[in-house]
Amino acid sequence: MLSETKLKALKEISGDFSRDEAVWASGFLAGIAGISAAVQHQVTSDIDTDVVSPKKITLAYGTETGNSKKLAVELAGVIKKKGVQVKLADLSQYKPKDLAKEDLFFIIISTQGEGDPPVLAKKFYDHIHENDLNISHLKFGVLALGDSSYPLFCKTGEDIDSRFEVLGAQRILPLKRCDIDYEQEAHVWAEHILDVANKTKESSQKTAVAVKTSTGRKKYQGKISTIINLNDIGSDKETYHIEIETEEPLMYSPGDALGVIAFNSKDEVEEIISLTGIDPEKQIKTAKITASAKELLYKHLNISYLLKTTVAQYAQITGHSIPEVRLSLLDLLRIYPVKNADELEQFIPVLTGQSPRLYSVSSSFEAHGDSEIHITVAKSEFFINEKKQNGLCSGFLAEFKEGEDIEFYIQEAKHFRLPKPEKDIIMIGPGTGIAPFRSFLYERDAVGAEGRNWLFFGDRTFVSDFLYQAELQDFLKTGALAHLDLAFSRDTAEKIYVQHKLEQKAEEVYHWLEGGASLYVCGAKEPMSKEVEKTILNIIQDKGKHSPEQAQNYLEELELSGRYVKDVY
C-alpha cells in the first residue's frame, strides 16, 4: 500500500489524465512492478469493460446556404481538440457505398422548400431511400437544422433518421431538431458525441437527456412612421423604404433581419366565406390556436399558395380527384368546390400556419437609435392564369399607411456580421440586396470605422431605379464609401450586371482580398449570386495565377474564415 503522502501525490498527478494516459500509466507502473504482458492485458481489459473505446467518427453535412457546413467544421474542431479523430464529409460528394466502412456516423443537415433535402445532398438522400442497404453495424445520430415557423420543420433530418433506423442502423443519439438559434444546442450535441466516443456506457446513456429548447421570439409593437416608394416615375418596379418606430427600446445589429407575419387579403377571405357559406364566427380549433373561421383565414393560416400535401388532404376530405398542384385556397374552392360548409370547417385545421417573411434590416442601431428600424421591400408581382397577383407579405407591407400599427420580431443573423472596424469590406448587392449594406455603411460611418468600404450596386435604370441614390453619393463624398460601382442593365444596348463590374475591377478586387477584405453578397440567389461567384472564382484564378481547384479552395477558405458571406434568396 502507498503511504498517505505518496497516494496524495499520485492523485494530484493523475487527476487530469485522459483515458489513454491512464491506460498508458497503468502499463508503465506494471512494467516497473514486473507484471507480465498477459497479466497487464487482463488489467487493461478489465478497465475497458464499461468503456466505449475512442474511435474515429465521421461527421457529414448537407447544406444549401452554408450553415450546416460551417457548423460541421466548427464542431469537428471542438471534437478534435478533445482527442477524438473526426473525418468531415460533404454529402454532395459522399459515396453511399462507403457507409459499409463506417462505425460512428453523424449527420448535420438542413431542410429546404417543402421539406426537401438540400440540392447538393439529394443524391445521397435518394440513394438511402431507394435502396435496401445493410447498415446494421452502423451507429448514428442526426442533427436537423430548420425554422419552426415553417410547417415541415427539419423534415429532411427526420427522414434520414427514420430511414437509417429502418435499414437497421443503431441510433445512439436521439434525433436533435434545432431551430434558427442552434449554436448552443449544437455544441451540447457535440458533447454528446464525445460521450459516445470517449466515456463510460453510463455516461453515453445520458446523451438521451433532452436539451431545453430555445425560447420563442420576442415580438415588438411598432408604428409605421415613413413609407416611401424609392422607384421614380417610369419604373415598372415598386421598392418601398419603410421606417418603423417603437416605444420599447430595440436591440439589433447590422446584418439582422426583421420578421413579419402578413395577414391575408380581406377581400379574398370574404369571398371564401361567401363561396362556402361557413359561419365566419364559428370557433375552430387548430394546432396552435382556437379562433373564429374569419380570424383564422385572415390572420393565422396560409391560404395563398397551398402545399401539394395540403391540396392532397383537401382532395381526401372533399372526394375530388385533384392532380398534384399548388393552388390558393380560393382557386381550389372555385375549381373543386366543397359540398357544404362542414367540409371547409373540417379542412381549416389542415391548413399550415402563416409563415413569417424576413427582410434585411437597412438601418443602423448606432446611427438611427434604439426606437426605430428600417427595411427595404420590393413589391412582388406575378401572374397566375393571366391574373395579376401580389406577393403576400410585400403586398401587405406596401399597403401600410403612415401611423398604422405593425407587429414584428428581430431575426439575428450571426453569419452575416461586419468584421473588425479596421478591416476592409466589399459589398455586392443589386436591387433590394442593398438593404443590409445601407445598414453596414451607416454603422461603419457612425462608429468611425477605419476600414474601407466598396459597394457594387445594380438595377434596371439609373433614372428610375437607383435606390438610396442621394445617400450613397453622400457616403462617397465623405469617404465612408471608398468606391461605388454601378450597373444599370437597361441603360445600355448590352445588359450590364454587377458581375461585369467586378470583372472590370478584377485587379483591385483581388488586391483587396489579398489584403484581408471581407466579401459580402446579398440579393437574388438565381441567377445573380451564382454569376457573381463564378466571376469571383475567375478573378482569383486569373489574378492570383491559381488553377481552378486552387481558386475554389481559396474561396472556400474565405468562406470558412467568415470573409465570404452570402445572404441570398
Side-chain angles (χ1 to χ4, degrees):
M1 294 292 291
L2 290 176
S3 67
E4 187 174 339
T5 302
K6 288 182 178 179
L7 181 60
K8 182 179 179 182
L10 181 60
K11 286 181 177 178
E12 287 176 355
I13 292 170
S14 61
D16 294 328
F17 276 8
S18 68
R19 178 188 170 280
D20 283 348
E21 290 169 337
V23 171
W24 179 88
S26 69
F28 175 73
L29 293 173
I32 293 175
I35 297 176
S36 69
V39 175
Q40 170 59 15
H41 176 73
Q42 182 59 49
V43 171
T44 55
S45 296
D46 290 343
I47 292 173
D48 283 350
T49 300
D50 289 324
V51 177
V52 180
S53 301
K55 296 177 181 178
K56 183 175 181 179
I57 72 169
T58 297
L59 184 58
Y61 59 86
T63 190
E64 183 81 15
T65 62
N67 283 345
S68 297
K69 178 179 180 179
K70 185 176 180 180
L71 180 59
V73 170
E74 182 182 340
L75 296 186
V78 171
I79 294 169
K80 285 178 182 177
K81 287 179 182 178
K82 299 292 185 180
V84 176
Q85 283 186 290
V86 182
K87 179 180 77 176
L88 270 175
D90 184 344
L91 290 180
S92 67
Q93 301 172 15
Y94 187 84
K95 298 176 182 177
K97 67 179 182 180
D98 288 345
L99 286 172
K101 305 172 187 176
E102 304 287 2
D103 184 24
L104 295 172
F105 192 78
F106 301 92
I107 296 177
I108 299 174
I109 195 161
S110 58
T111 295
Q112 311 302 315
E114 292 187 51
D116 299 321
V119 173
L120 295 178
K122 192 173 187 303
K123 185 177 179 181
F124 175 86
Y125 178 91
D126 289 344
H127 186 91
I128 65 171
H129 281 84
E130 294 170 1
N131 294 276
D132 290 326
L133 310 176
N134 180 8
I135 54 172
S136 56
H137 67 286
L138 192 71
K139 302 176 183 67
F140 76 96
V142 178
L143 185 145
L145 297 183
D147 183 339
S148 59
S149 301
Y150 292 84
L152 300 174
F153 173 51
C154 293
K155 186 174 186 297
T156 298
E158 293 170 353
D159 289 347
I160 291 176
D161 181 83
S162 60
R163 182 59 181 168
F164 268 32
E165 184 178 38
V166 167
L167 294 173
Q170 179 186 347
R171 184 189 294 106
I172 53 174
L173 289 184
L175 171 66
K176 184 62 194 168
R177 299 175 182 85
C178 283
D179 208 338
I180 45 178
D181 298 323
Y182 56 76
E183 287 195 1
Q184 183 178 353
E185 292 185 346
H187 277 268
V188 174
W189 186 73
E191 290 174 10
H192 291 165
I193 291 177
L194 285 166
D195 284 342
V196 169
N198 239 0
K199 294 185 178 179
T200 65
K201 289 180 179 178
E202 181 181 355
S203 297
S204 66
Q205 288 166 358
K206 293 178 182 178
T207 60
V209 176
V211 179
K212 183 181 178 182
T213 57
S214 58
T215 56
R217 300 182 178 97
K218 177 175 176 52
K219 298 287 181 65
Y220 291 96
Q221 302 298 322
K223 193 177 293 290
I224 304 292
S225 59
T226 302
I227 181 165
I228 302 169
N229 182 2
L230 297 173
N231 298 104
D232 210 335
I233 296 170
S235 176
D236 56 359
K237 300 170 70 176
E238 294 178 36
T239 308
Y240 290 90
H241 171 76
I242 301 175
E243 299 181 5
I244 303 169
E245 291 183 351
T246 63
E247 293 185 2
E248 182 179 3
L250 295 165
M251 182 63 72
Y252 65 91
S253 299
D256 287 347
L258 181 146
V260 179
I261 296 181
F263 295 165
N264 294 305
S265 162
K266 286 185 177 179
D267 290 342
E268 197 166 330
V269 171
E270 290 295 343
E271 191 169 349
I272 288 170
I273 291 169
S274 176
L275 269 176
T276 61
I278 193 170
D279 178 0
E281 302 306 319
K282 175 76 174 182
Q283 294 293 302
I284 299 175
K285 183 179 180 180
T286 68
K288 291 188 176 181
I289 188 173
T290 299
S292 69
K294 184 174 183 178
E295 182 181 344
L296 288 171
L297 294 172
Y298 176 49
K299 289 185 177 181
H300 302 288
L301 301 176
N302 171 40
I303 64 171
S304 60
Y305 195 42
L306 307 187
L307 297 171
K308 293 175 185 176
T309 52
T310 306
V311 174
Q313 287 175 284
Y314 178 86
Q316 188 175 3
I317 290 170
T318 60
H320 287 293
S321 177
I322 306 175
E324 194 177 76
V325 292
R326 296 191 68 175
L327 293 169
S328 71
L329 177 57
L330 183 56
D331 285 338
L332 194 60
L333 289 165
R334 285 170 176 161
I335 302 169
Y336 306 100
V338 292
K339 300 181 188 69
N340 49 54
D342 289 343
E343 286 189 343
L344 179 61
E345 183 181 336
Q346 186 181 348
F347 179 63
I348 284 176
V350 174
L351 292 167
T352 58
Q354 193 70 280
S355 299
R357 270 60 167 182
L358 297 173
Y359 296 92
S360 296
V361 172
S362 53
S363 54
S364 155
F365 182 85
E366 292 293 337
H368 298 100
D370 65 356
S371 61
E372 69 175 275
I373 191 167
H374 307 168
I375 53 175
T376 309
V377 179
K379 187 176 181 180
S380 174
E381 296 181 342
F382 53 94
F383 288 86
I384 296 179
N385 297 326
E386 300 183 357
K387 182 180 178 182
K388 187 177 180 180
Q389 306 278 343
N390 290 324
L392 175 65
C393 198
S394 62
F396 171 72
L397 291 169
E399 296 301 317
F400 268 91
K401 303 291 187 293
E402 292 181 4
E404 291 185 336
D405 295 328
I406 186 171
E407 184 179 77
F408 65 93
Y409 65 90
I410 304 297
Q411 175 63 61
E412 189 177 6
K414 294 178 181 178
H415 75 290
F416 206 77
R417 286 285 183 255
L418 279 166
K420 293 179 180 179
E422 66 273 16
K423 297 293 186 180
D424 297 337
I425 61 173
I426 301 172
M427 302 165 284
I428 304 164
T432 53
I434 195 172
F437 302 141
R438 180 179 185 263
S439 174
F440 281 16
L441 287 168
Y442 269 109
E443 182 84 4
R444 302 258 283 183
D445 188 47
V447 302
E450 296 175 4
R452 296 173 297 171
N453 307 307
W454 187 352
L455 175 65
F456 289 84
F457 172 75
D459 214 311
R460 293 181 180 174
T461 69
F462 178 92
V463 173
S464 301
D465 305 309
F466 191 169
L467 309 183
Y468 298 113
Q469 178 181 352
E471 293 179 1
L472 294 178
Q473 289 174 335
D474 284 344
F475 280 132
L476 200 58
K477 289 174 186 175
T478 61
L481 256 179
H483 300 294
L484 175 60
D485 283 90
L486 305 169
F488 293 100
S489 60
R490 306 291 173 87
D491 284 348
T492 53
E494 186 175 347
K495 291 183 178 180
I496 301 294
Y497 297 106
V498 286
Q499 61 265 29
H500 301 125
K501 290 295 180 178
L502 279 167
E503 285 176 342
Q504 292 172 11
K505 299 296 177 73
E507 190 78 48
E508 193 170 0
V509 167
Y510 185 72
H511 181 70
W512 276 48
L513 292 177
E514 283 288 278
S518 293
L519 181 63
Y520 297 86
V521 180
C522 183
K525 183 176 182 180
E526 297 280 2
M528 185 277 294
S529 72
K530 299 292 180 67
E531 293 300 322
V532 164
E533 186 162 301
K534 277 186 202 173
T535 303
I536 294 167
L537 284 168
N538 289 337
I539 290 172
I540 294 168
Q541 187 177 337
D542 181 42
K543 301 305 176 184
K545 310 300 181 187
H546 294 300
S547 68
E549 184 179 358
Q550 288 171 331
Q552 186 67 50
N553 291 338
Y554 185 107
L555 193 59
E556 286 181 3
E557 284 299 318
L558 288 182
E559 189 172 3
L560 289 174
S561 64
R563 287 179 50 213
Y564 174 43
V565 188
K566 294 177 286 187
D567 183 8
V568 296
Y569 37 83

